Amino acid sequence: MGGRTPLLVLTFSLAVLSIKLGISHGCRETERKALIDFKRGLHDPSNRLSSWVGEDCCAWEGVGCSNISGHVIKLDLRNSRRMDPCAGFMGRVPAQLGNLSTLQHLDLSYNCYWDDNSGWISLLTSLRHLNMTWVSFTNAANWLQDLNALPHVQEIELISCDLGTFPRSLSHVNFTSLTTLDLRGNYINSTIPDWVFNITSLEFLYLGGNDLHGFFPDSVTKLTSLKYLDLSYNSLHGSLPASLGNLSMLRSLDLGSNNLNGMFPESIKRLKGLRDLDLYNNSLSLSEDDLANLSSLKSLDISYNSIYLNKSDDWIPPFQLNGLYMGFCQILPKPHFPKWLRTQPTLDELYLSNAGIKEAFPNWLPSGLRYLYLSDNKITGNKLVGGVPDSLCNLQMLESLHLSHNNLSGQIPHCLKSCTELATLDLGHNNFIGNIPTWIGESLLYLKTLSLRSNAFTGSIPQLSSLPSLRILDLSNNNLSGTIPQSFGDFNALKSAPTYQCCYFNNDSLYVEDMWLFIKGSELEYTTRQLSMDTLIDLSNNYLSGNIPEELGNLHGLRSLNLSKNYLIGQIPWSIGRMKQLEVLDLSRNNLSGAIPSDLAALNFLNHLNLSYNNLSGRIPNGNQLQTFTDSSIYAGNPNLCGPPLTKNCTLNIAKAGEEEQNEDSSKSRMETLWLYTSITLGFIIGFWAICGSLLLQQTWRTSYFRAIDNMFDKLYVMMVVTVAKYKRKL
């Protein structure tokens, strides 16, 4: 639901709904009218409240009533079409919500609210569950004291609320029933205060994605009921305390992306119930022995650390992993595939990118793998099927395959056609050859990202527009030829702009995949979260020719288009001006001609433009976004362009061009006259001497010629005499 909610109507309506329960049957009329008033104050373009008609409000969608009293006790306006509970409300959170003294569950998450006075929260003394994720608390200085006034609250979720500060002291901890505290993504800049570790009832503590610093808190071991601990993406340093092993109830430990160092504590072995261990991006050292007793482990992330793999090939770990992440990991004594991985048939996700592995591909990959990341190594083929091991072809459940920056060669094997669940296929920066297979566009119908950049592919671009979900297409730096298919304008996922539901985007960082894309003139690393919002077509540095298809203008959701370093001709299509989301446009180093379309001035999001080294002419359009491009190098190599930011003046250029055109026309007219008289003279001379010369030089020709003249004269004379005689007789 978009638009601004009349807050007084909302508050009044909820107040009526909180009337003390009594014995009744059916929907209360006062409550039905309150809901109708509430509906009138909303903008509902999708007609989600269409069921709010009739007398029985308890049957309306999103309304829950007590089976005993008939009172409305629940109002759920979450968007069932989205995974998050976003209803689309905007504005300040009304303080009158504090009047709902019997309210037990309040969820305002994923709306564009702000709250600069959180005092009303302290009045909700019956509250059990509070979720205000994405509600901005920027100016709410007393948020902690207000929350501490809730004696019965069990769950508090304030993700990405711009809290900013973490009060150092709390005179009395009133959270005697609190089991969940989630403050992720608030960029809190402080140490972790001791009062947090006095909430002994805590089972779930999420403080990731902040700017917490200081030594790893040894006091965390006081939380003996803790099951999930997330301190990731902070600036904690020092070594892990030995007492960490006392958290016997711990099921998930996430310490990723901090500055922790030292050896892995021996006490961790006691956490036999631990299922998820994330030590991503630290400077810790651990060995297989440190993992020996973690029999319940399902997910292990030790990327960006050092691990000693000294066990013999027959070592069988006590766990069965679903996910293993060892990317950017220093594997000692030498980089290699851990042999014990072949004992992990349940492995669902394997991340070994940038681990320095120089071995051949393993032939024991579990058939249930869905995510495989082996980029940035020096892996070669083993039992090659076109440069890729045949074991890959058995992974028919694969959804994401990353093999870029290796030493793979040959053709893409046809058997990958059976991996019909693939959403991401990244084979960039290898030595693949041959044509791009047509079956990619015919069989991989769930593909969202296709990167084949920096290989040696040849031939034309195959039909890919049948891929309904494709958002990123990178075929740059190959030897492709032919024209750009007109069907590129049919990519359904690129035809509409992405919609954003709210106005706050603080990241609660999680483990994400990454890819390298060439954007804005340089190669950039993109994470999963960024890729989900980016749309890109890159066909640069090939041998493509012909015109740029007008149909590309249908891709209203495209954010980056790079066709540079090809042999494209013709004019820049005016339809590009319809690509309203375009941020990057690079058409440099082609053979494009004509004027720059003025429609480009309508691209309000454009922040990178390069049209250099073409044959463009005329005045550079101005207005709107184009005025912000002051770097003249983006138009270099087009000698017939004029106007800012170039120093070439268009007025003088036009006058000079007109004078040159007039002089050229005058010169052309004189040349035509000269050629006319010259051809007449040459024709007369050639004709005269061809006839007269022949008569003078050949006597027989001369006799025959004059005899023919005499005969002709005689015939004409006879005809004239006869004709005159006829007229005389008539007269």
Side-chain angles (χ1 to χ4, degrees):
M1 297 180 193
R4 185 179 179 86
T5 304
L7 301 180
L8 291 178
V9 174
L10 170 63
T11 306
F12 172 75
S13 304
L14 291 177
V16 173
L17 299 181
S18 65
I19 296 175
K20 191 172 182 179
L21 298 181
I23 304 300
S24 180
H25 300 283
C27 177
R28 299 297 182 96
E29 180 63 17
T30 55
E31 298 176 3
R32 189 187 71 83
K33 289 182 178 180
L35 289 172
I36 292 296
D37 290 340
F38 175 51
K39 177 183 177 181
R40 288 172 182 160
L42 299 177
H43 177 54
D44 186 14
S46 59
N47 208 23
R48 284 174 48 204
L49 299 184
S50 58
S51 66
W52 286 29
V53 293
E55 298 298 324
D56 187 7
C57 63
C58 295
W60 297 352
E61 182 181 358
V63 178
C65 296
S66 170
N67 294 329
I68 300 176
S69 66
H71 280 288
V72 175
I73 60 174
K74 178 181 178 182
L75 186 59
D76 187 351
L77 300 182
R78 288 180 293 180
N79 191 342
S80 60
R81 299 178 181 89
R82 289 174 49 86
M83 294 183 65
D84 55 47
C86 173
F89 293 120
M90 301 176 65
R92 180 181 287 106
V93 178
Q96 291 86 345
L97 285 176
N99 296 332
L100 308 179
S101 57
T102 61
L103 191 67
Q104 296 187 14
H105 192 123
L106 179 60
D107 187 347
L108 302 178
S109 61
Y110 300 100
N111 287 286
C112 292
Y113 278 132
W114 69 86
D115 193 356
D116 51 11
N117 183 7
S118 57
W120 59 271
I121 297 178
S122 63
L123 303 177
L124 303 176
T125 53
S126 299
L127 201 65
R128 264 64 170 176
H129 308 276
L130 176 64
N131 189 347
M132 298 183 69
T133 295
W134 279 16
V135 176
S136 177
F137 278 67
T138 303
N139 298 317
N142 298 319
W143 61 270
L144 179 61
Q145 289 80 0
D146 296 328
L147 291 175
N148 193 41
L150 306 178
H152 304 294
V153 69
Q154 298 172 2
E155 297 179 3
I156 297 177
E157 296 181 57
L158 300 178
I159 303 172
S160 298
C161 291
D162 296 319
L163 298 177
T165 58
F166 213 156
R168 295 292 309 137
S169 61
L170 196 62
S171 57
H172 172 69
V173 175
N174 200 30
F175 298 121
T176 55
S177 302
L178 190 64
T179 61
T180 300
L181 179 61
D182 193 342
L183 303 179
R184 286 176 291 177
N186 282 289
Y187 302 104
I188 299 173
N189 185 5
S190 71
T191 58
I192 304 177
D194 289 337
W195 60 261
V196 172
F197 307 115
N198 292 330
I199 311 175
T200 55
S201 58
L202 273 179
E203 297 180 9
F204 304 87
L205 178 59
Y206 304 103
L207 299 178
N210 286 291
D211 193 21
L212 301 173
H213 51 270
F215 288 99
F216 187 90
D218 187 60
S219 301
V220 71
T221 56
K222 295 164 62 177
L223 304 177
T224 54
S225 299
L226 206 59
K227 296 179 180 178
Y228 286 77
L229 175 61
D230 180 2
L231 299 177
S232 62
Y233 292 90
N234 284 291
S235 300
L236 301 175
H237 60 270
S239 58
L240 295 177
S243 57
L244 199 59
N246 295 333
L247 300 177
S248 58
M249 302 291 292
L250 205 60
R251 297 295 178 265
S252 177
L253 177 61
D254 189 350
L255 305 178
S257 200
N258 279 283
N259 299 314
L260 302 172
N261 54 48
M263 299 298 295
F264 203 63
E266 181 80 12
S267 61
I268 296 293
K269 295 180 181 180
R270 299 201 298 267
L271 302 180
K272 295 184 179 181
L274 194 65
R275 295 175 56 88
D276 302 303
L277 177 59
D278 189 341
L279 304 175
Y280 165 83
N281 197 18
N282 283 284
S283 299
L284 296 168
S285 297
L286 65 157
S287 68
E288 292 155 321
D289 288 331
D290 297 315
L291 310 174
N293 293 337
L294 304 181
S295 56
S296 300
L297 204 60
K298 295 297 181 183
S299 178
L300 174 63
D301 190 345
I302 50 177
S303 301
Y304 291 90
N305 286 285
S306 298
I307 179 170
Y308 293 87
L309 300 180
N310 294 317
K311 291 294 183 181
S312 61
D313 292 349
D314 58 354
W315 182 69
I316 300 178
F319 43 75
Q320 289 291 314
L321 293 177
N322 293 328
L324 174 63
Y325 313 93
M326 293 174 59
F328 295 82
C329 191
Q330 185 181 6
I331 301 177
L332 302 171
K334 69 174 183 177
H336 64 282
F337 286 107
K339 303 301 181 183
W340 50 263
L341 285 180
R342 67 186 67 195
T343 68
Q344 304 294 306
T346 61
L347 203 60
D348 178 77
E349 186 167 356
L350 177 59
Y351 189 102
L352 287 173
S353 293
N354 212 324
I357 298 175
K358 300 180 181 180
E359 295 181 351
F361 246 103
N363 56 9
W364 41 258
L365 293 172
S367 59
L369 268 179
R370 293 192 301 139
Y371 306 95
L372 179 59
Y373 308 89
L374 298 177
S375 300
D376 295 278
N377 286 289
K378 296 182 180 180
I379 300 173
T380 58
N382 180 31
K383 296 184 180 179
L384 289 184
V385 179
V388 176
D390 51 4
S391 58
L392 260 183
C393 300
N394 299 324
L395 308 181
Q396 298 188 12
M397 298 180 62
L398 207 59
E399 296 181 20
S400 190
L401 176 60
H402 295 255
L403 299 177
S404 64
H405 292 86
N406 279 289
N407 293 328
L408 301 173
S409 60
Q411 297 184 349
I412 299 178
H414 187 271
C415 63
L416 281 180
K417 177 181 179 180
S418 60
C419 299
T420 55
E421 301 296 320
L422 270 177
T424 300
L425 178 59
D426 182 7
L427 303 178
H429 294 275
N430 280 288
N431 300 307
F432 288 107
I433 61 173
N435 294 339
I436 298 176
T438 57
W439 52 258
I440 291 180
E442 298 169 352
S443 301
L444 307 184
L445 299 181
Y446 293 102
L447 209 58
K448 296 180 180 180
T449 299
L450 175 61
S451 177
L452 303 178
R453 63 175 291 116
S454 300
N455 280 283
F457 290 111
T458 55
S460 59
I461 300 175
Q463 173 64 258
L464 297 173
S465 60
S466 57
L467 300 175
S469 303
L470 193 65
R471 298 175 60 84
I472 293 179
L473 175 62
D474 190 349
L475 306 179
S476 61
N477 298 303
N478 281 287
N479 299 316
L480 300 174
S481 58
T483 60
I484 300 174
Q486 293 182 350
S487 59
F488 267 34
D490 297 332
F491 287 121
N492 289 331
L494 302 178
K495 285 185 176 181
S496 59
T499 57
Y500 306 110
Q501 297 294 325
C502 203
C503 34
Y504 312 113
F505 291 99
N506 290 345
N507 291 328
D508 51 326
S509 301
L510 301 172
Y511 192 88
V512 292
E513 63 181 82
D514 52 20
M515 279 187 61
W516 290 90
L517 299 174
F518 195 83
I519 296 180
K520 302 182 182 181
S522 59
E523 197 170 39
L524 303 175
E525 186 176 19
Y526 274 68
T527 65
T528 305
R529 186 174 289 106
Q530 292 167 315
L531 290 175
S532 66
M533 297 173 61
D534 271 298
T535 52
L536 172 146
I537 292 179
D538 190 346
L539 307 178
S540 62
N541 202 15
N542 279 288
Y543 296 93
L544 300 175
S545 57
N547 295 317
I548 300 175
E550 291 277 355
E551 290 78 5
L552 287 181
N554 297 332
L555 306 181
H556 300 162
L558 192 66
R559 295 178 61 179
S560 179
L561 176 62
N562 190 348
L563 305 178
S564 64
K565 299 178 183 178
N566 280 289
Y567 296 90
L568 301 174
I569 61 173
Q571 296 185 342
I572 299 174
W574 62 268
S575 61
I576 289 183
R578 302 203 310 259
M579 305 167 72
K580 301 300 184 182
Q581 299 297 316
L582 205 61
E583 299 180 17
V584 177
L585 178 61
D586 193 342
L587 305 178
S588 62
R589 298 185 183 277
N590 280 286
N591 297 316
L592 300 173
S593 57
I596 300 175
S598 59
D599 305 77
L600 295 186
L603 301 178
N604 295 327
F605 294 105
L606 197 65
N607 58 49
H608 180 86
L609 175 67
N610 193 348
L611 303 178
S612 61
Y613 298 99
N614 281 285
N615 297 315
L616 301 173
S617 59
R619 183 189 298 272
I620 298 174
N622 53 22
N624 295 343
Q625 195 70 6
L626 291 183
Q627 288 183 338
T628 65
F629 297 114
T630 59
D631 183 4
S632 61
S633 66
I634 67 175
Y635 301 109
N638 294 282
N640 295 321
L641 280 179
C642 60
L646 299 178
T647 57
K648 191 173 184 179
N649 190 300
C650 283
T651 305
L652 296 176
N653 187 58
I654 293 174
K656 183 177 179 181
E659 182 179 349
E660 290 177 353
E661 183 178 355
Q662 184 177 2
N663 293 336
E664 183 179 351
D665 290 343
S666 177
S667 176
K668 183 178 181 180
S669 178
R670 287 195 300 270
M671 288 296 297
E672 290 177 350
T673 303
L674 178 61
W675 274 109
L676 175 62
Y677 287 114
T678 301
S679 58
I680 292 175
T681 303
L682 290 174
F684 174 76
I685 294 174
I686 294 173
F688 177 81
W689 283 108
I691 297 174
C692 297
S694 300
L695 296 177
L696 289 174
L697 297 175
Q698 294 288 337
Q699 182 179 1
T700 55
W701 286 16
R702 187 166 60 250
T703 302
S704 298
Y705 174 75
F706 285 111
R707 185 176 294 167
I709 294 295
D710 289 341
N711 290 336
M712 186 181 296
F713 177 77
D714 290 343
K715 289 179 180 180
L716 290 174
Y717 176 76
V718 171
M719 289 175 64
M720 184 180 66
V721 171
V722 172
T723 302
V724 171
K726 288 181 179 180
Y727 277 106
K728 284 183 177 181
R729 282 198 297 271
K730 289 181 179 181
L731 295 173

